[in-house]
Amino acid sequence: QVQLVESGGGVVQPGRSLRVSCVGSGRTFSAYAVGWFRQAPGKEREFLAVMSWTGTTLYYGDSAKGRFTISRDNDKNTVYLQMNSLKPEDTAVYYCAGAFLPAKDGSSWYGIKEEYDIWGQGTQVTVSS
């Protein structure tokens, strides 16, 4: 069974950068696209980016375009989210999630949290001076 564990959150000043990581385990991990979401207090969980094992699936949500970059190190079973020029409104719990690609069709599912089968526990990112 595939499991995901996030790390790398913390407190960072506005304008600085931070990289969060998501380590996957399980022998079928390569069949999963891994996405990043975030959830701020009182708000809906928001899609940021998704990437497949091969990189052929790669998509960003509007909130992530221009400042955030998703990448994947398959040797380490790790997916990263590099966040630059952070703002206080980026404060949230950041989650990675896995979607089993053989069960997906097209691209309409990318930003829909219900389409993801496995979730990590989340890591808190706080942007504050």
Side-chain angles (χ1 to χ4, degrees), residues 6-13 17-21 83 86-87 90-94 122-128:
E6 303 96 333
S7 63
V11 179
V12 61
Q13 292 180 330
S17 298
L18 190 70
R19 188 179 75 171
V20 291
S21 303
M83 303 181 287
L86 284 163
K87 306 173 183 179
D90 294 317
T91 295
V93 178
Y94 284 70
T123 186
Q124 176 71 45
V125 173
T126 301
V127 183
S128 174

Side-chain angles (χ1 to χ4, degrees), residues 95-127:
Y95 297 91
C96 64
F100 187 61
L101 273 179
K104 304 301 181 187
D105 183 33
S107 62
S108 61
W109 60 271
Y110 291 167
I112 302 173
K113 60 183 183 294
E114 290 81 5
E115 293 287 342
Y116 290 77
D117 310 293
I118 302 167
W119 290 84
Q121 83 288 352
T123 186
Q124 176 71 45
V125 173
T126 301
V127 183

Side-chain angles (χ1 to χ4, degrees), residues 18-86:
L18 190 70
R19 188 179 75 171
V20 291
S21 303
C22 173
V23 178
S25 61
R27 61 184 182 88
T28 61
F29 181 60
S30 62
Y32 285 76
V34 175
W36 283 99
F37 290 76
R38 69 183 179 186
Q39 188 165 18
K43 294 189 176 181
E44 292 288 321
R45 194 164 295 192
E46 177 185 28
F47 169 75
L48 297 173
V50 63
M51 188 174 191
S52 63
W53 180 268
T54 61
T56 53
T57 294
L58 178 61
Y59 185 75
Y60 290 92
D62 290 341
S63 296
K65 290 177 182 177
R67 295 189 298 125
F68 294 2
T69 302
I70 189 171
S71 62
R72 190 162 182 160
D73 184 337
N74 292 339
D75 289 338
K76 297 180 179 179
N77 275 5
T78 302
V79 179
Y80 303 100
L81 184 70
Q82 175 70 41
M83 303 181 287
N84 298 327
S85 302
L86 284 163

